[in-house]
Amino acid sequence: MCATPTSTRTAATAGHLPPVVLRPDGGAEVLDLTAGPPLGTELGDYEMTTFSLEPEAVLLLYTDGLVEQRGTDIDDAIRGLTELSLPADGSLENLVDTLLAQLTSGICEDDIALLAARQRPANE
């Protein structure tokens, strides 16, 4: 059996919700990052966290408008991202469109920013 190569990334948050990693095998995981103070407030330090990222995995960064719903605990809503059927393969544009369609049904109570990123293979 051949080990899957991984790369490491380092991240910190500035009052943002935790990123979600979509794995090539179909699994998803909320990254456990310590929330730092919002940028520009000078209220404290930022804790850097290093994590492994498999080739073809997708890193999702998003604002609270994507997951926040009245009457739903925000932690439950974030965990809900990991329960969606979101393939890590295919185009990132289609992934973002699918994610927005599944979570918003075209109705948004707040603004949404969503970024999906994947490392390109070394040969591209």
Side-chain angles (χ1 to χ4, degrees):
M1 175 182 270
C2 205
T4 302
T6 61
S7 59
T8 58
R9 301 287 181 258
T10 302
T13 67
H16 300 97
L17 297 177
V20 171
V21 174
L22 303 178
R23 306 237 180 257
D25 66 4
E29 167 187 12
V30 177
L31 293 180
D32 186 19
L33 302 179
T34 302
L39 290 175
T41 61
E42 299 180 18
L43 294 175
D45 294 325
Y46 302 95
E47 184 177 321
M48 304 297 276
T49 301
T50 300
F51 57 95
S52 297
L53 199 60
E54 304 163 89
E56 301 303 316
V58 174
L59 184 65
L60 292 177
L61 306 172
Y62 53 94
T63 58
D64 62 348
L66 180 67
V67 294
E68 199 170 47
Q69 300 170 3
R70 289 185 186 144
T72 302
D73 180 78
I74 190 72
D75 292 329
D76 291 340
I78 292 168
R79 266 190 306 279
L81 283 174
T82 66
E83 297 167 0
L84 296 174
S85 179
L86 297 169
D89 59 352
S91 85
L92 294 177
E93 183 176 354
N94 288 340
L95 173 65
V96 167
D97 288 345
T98 300
L99 181 56
L100 289 171
Q102 287 187 24
L103 288 179
T104 67
S105 301
I107 301 168
C108 304
E109 294 183 14
D110 194 359
D111 58 328
I112 296 173
L114 175 60
L115 172 71
R118 180 188 301 127
Q119 180 176 316
R120 290 184 180 169
N123 60 355
E124 283 188 20

